[in-house]
Amino acid sequence: MVFESFAQAQSFFLWATFGIALVMGALVNKTNFCTMGAVSDWVNMGDTGRLRAWLFAIAVAMLGVAILEASGLVKLAATFPPYRANQLVWAENLLGGLMFGIGMTLASGCGNKTLIRIGGGNLKSIMVLAIIAIIAYYMVNPFPDSDKTLFTMLFYDWIRPLAVTLQTNQDLGAIVAGSGAAATPRLAIGGILALVLIGFAFISADFRSNFDNILGGLAVGLAVLAAWYITSNVMVSADGQSFSLQNFVAEQWDMYAKPEELKPADSRPLSTQSFTFINPMGQTFGYAMAGFKLTALTFGVMSVAGVILGSLLWSLISRSFRIEWFVSAKDFFNHFVGAILMGFGGVLAMGCTIGQGVTGVSTLAVGSIITLLAIIAGCASTMKYQYWRMMREA
């Protein structure tokens, strides 16, 4: 997909993102795909239907990435965020994942589910979104008239020294064979793991008979894969050469005399990427702070808007739109604390149940796998504690 101008390429990049997110938002609402619900069903009722849907989504994305990357149609060497970086920030993945898992349990859903609930009329989730957005923004951006972020103030000095620098990229294929010979191992490992997950999902007769669980997992997995493909292949043509959007802005902008006022504020969000929802909430806050200028409009902002609108459209079509508010002070407090934990945890772990649990894991990154397991552990342990406390009070 090569475009004659940056404006055309950027427009396609953003609107394609919005379209994919719109469809995903509608189908996630329709099928009640929910990662927190998946853990809740499993822990509290022994029902693995939605957990299998989540694993099916991972498998679809993973298998698609393995095939498309081997075919040269998806390029994951430099992604945003850098899932395969050789610096393994395992402590950040672990702590952030635990915080996020606890937070999403208290706030009644992960980042994606928060957006889905907003589209369905849930006003509680608007507060959750606002808190996450502010924290996520200042975790990566300095405070006004300062060079300090929440991350540098609260975490960097003690947690970043725990990071491990590997000799290769951190994905399983590179660890097995080295970064220079990782292509075949990535295809083999990704294909085998995906087939195992698909087999685990479909071995259950209950899962096979539940169309919504199958559709939900398929929709999320394909949405993640579609975004990987689109963002890997949008190019700008200039003087007979083709440049990626990120490369054009970072290195070629001045050469081709583009108006400085139209230059994106940051070139990194133009890199190859797929769906994640915590950092994009922060980007959305930044977009509003910038006066809704095109230069601050990103993949993440369009994905947030697309999921909300898709969910809203399905809510209206299905007549399931309902205004919801806090039922008690305790309900408000739980959502408030949960939002704070998701804001910090989602950025610290470099993703959420979709951003790391599906998108990141599809790259076979070790950090993503650590985050996914930590999120599940944090969520499950919180639910166990809530059940114990409820029984004790009873």
Side-chain angles (χ1 to χ4, degrees):
M1 294 173 284
V2 181
F3 295 85
E4 292 301 317
S5 72
F6 175 81
Q8 291 175 332
Q10 183 189 37
S11 178
F12 179 82
F13 180 91
L14 294 173
W15 285 110
T17 300
F18 180 80
I20 298 168
L22 181 80
V23 174
M24 179 169 64
L27 291 178
V28 166
N29 189 328
K30 183 247 185 283
T31 61
N32 197 26
F33 181 95
C34 176
T35 52
M36 191 212 73
V39 179
S40 176
D41 291 349
W42 173 44
V43 170
N44 295 325
M45 298 180 290
D47 181 351
T48 60
R50 288 197 285 183
L51 181 64
R52 292 174 194 270
W54 188 5
L55 296 177
F56 182 44
I58 295 172
V60 170
M62 186 183 293
L63 182 61
V65 165
I67 294 171
L68 292 184
E69 186 174 21
S71 304
L73 297 176
V74 164
K75 307 171 185 67
L76 303 181
T79 63
F80 180 73
Y83 292 111
R84 288 179 174 174
N86 67 338
Q87 186 179 53
L88 177 61
V89 290
W90 65 270
E92 293 165 48
N93 296 138
L94 180 60
L95 177 60
L98 289 170
M99 291 173 68
F100 189 87
I102 296 168
M104 76 175 190
T105 309
L106 296 175
S108 303
C110 66
N112 182 52
K113 190 64 175 181
T114 295
L115 303 179
I116 296 296
R117 284 158 62 90
I118 290 173
N122 191 299
L123 301 181
K124 294 188 287 187
S125 293
I126 294 177
M127 184 200 75
V128 172
L129 170 61
I131 293 172
I132 292 175
I134 294 170
I135 292 174
Y137 180 81
Y138 285 114
M139 276 286 281
V140 298
N141 293 282
F143 291 104
D145 302 319
S146 170
D147 61 351
K148 295 186 179 298
T149 67
L150 282 172
F151 177 72
T152 58
M153 291 172 60
L154 300 176
F155 299 101
Y156 183 85
D157 288 341
W158 65 272
I159 202 167
R160 185 52 60 87
L162 299 176
V164 177
T165 300
L166 307 177
Q167 297 300 313
T168 67
N169 291 339
Q170 65 172 274
D171 65 280
L172 297 177
I175 290 173
V176 168
S179 298
T184 299
R186 284 169 180 160
L187 177 61
I189 294 171
I192 291 170
L193 288 178
L195 292 176
V196 169
L197 292 176
I198 291 172
F200 175 78
F202 281 88
I203 200 172
S204 167
D206 289 339
F207 179 80
R208 294 196 304 271
S209 64
N210 190 313
F211 176 75
D212 276 352
N213 279 341
I214 296 173
L215 178 60
L218 185 64
V220 172
L222 288 179
V224 167
L225 184 61
W228 277 132
Y229 176 77
I230 293 293
T231 59
S232 292
N233 291 284
V234 175
M235 311 287 285
V236 182
S237 176
D239 290 342
Q241 300 182 68
S242 295
F243 303 97
S244 69
L245 294 181
Q246 196 274 337
N247 179 266
F248 188 88
V249 171
E251 301 178 17
Q252 310 296 329
W253 191 271
D254 294 336
M255 181 179 297
Y256 293 100
K258 297 296 178 182
E260 193 66 24
E261 62 270 17
L262 297 180
K263 184 177 181 179
D266 187 353
S267 65
R268 292 174 302 168
L270 294 168
S271 304
T272 299
Q273 60 196 292
S274 190
F275 290 105
T276 186
F277 293 103
I278 301 303
N279 187 275
M281 290 179 183
Q283 293 174 28
T284 303
F285 177 71
Y287 177 55
M289 292 274 286
F292 303 102
K293 293 181 179 178
L294 177 61
T295 54
L297 191 57
T298 65
F299 175 102
V301 175
M302 296 299 276
S303 66
V304 167
V307 169
I308 292 175
L309 183 57
S311 176
L312 173 62
L313 290 176
W314 179 257
S315 296
L316 296 176
I317 291 170
S318 62
R319 298 183 180 180
S320 60
F321 185 88
R322 297 288 185 276
I323 298 296
E324 295 183 50
W325 187 241
F326 300 103
V327 297
S328 65
K330 180 181 179 181
D331 189 31
F332 173 86
F333 179 76
N334 283 341
H335 281 76
F336 182 78
V337 173
I340 293 173
L341 290 173
M342 282 202 289
F344 281 113
V347 176
L348 197 59
M350 210 165 66
C352 55
T353 54
I354 302 297
Q356 284 282 40
V358 181
T359 298
V361 171
S362 74
T363 71
L364 305 179
V366 173
S368 300
I369 296 171
I370 293 173
T371 298
L372 171 61
L373 296 177
I375 289 174
I376 294 174
C379 181
S381 60
T382 304
M383 289 177 181
K384 286 290 189 182
Y385 171 76
Q386 288 176 328
Y387 179 77
W388 170 82
R389 185 172 179 178
M390 180 182 68
M391 295 301 294
R392 183 181 179 185
E393 291 174 352

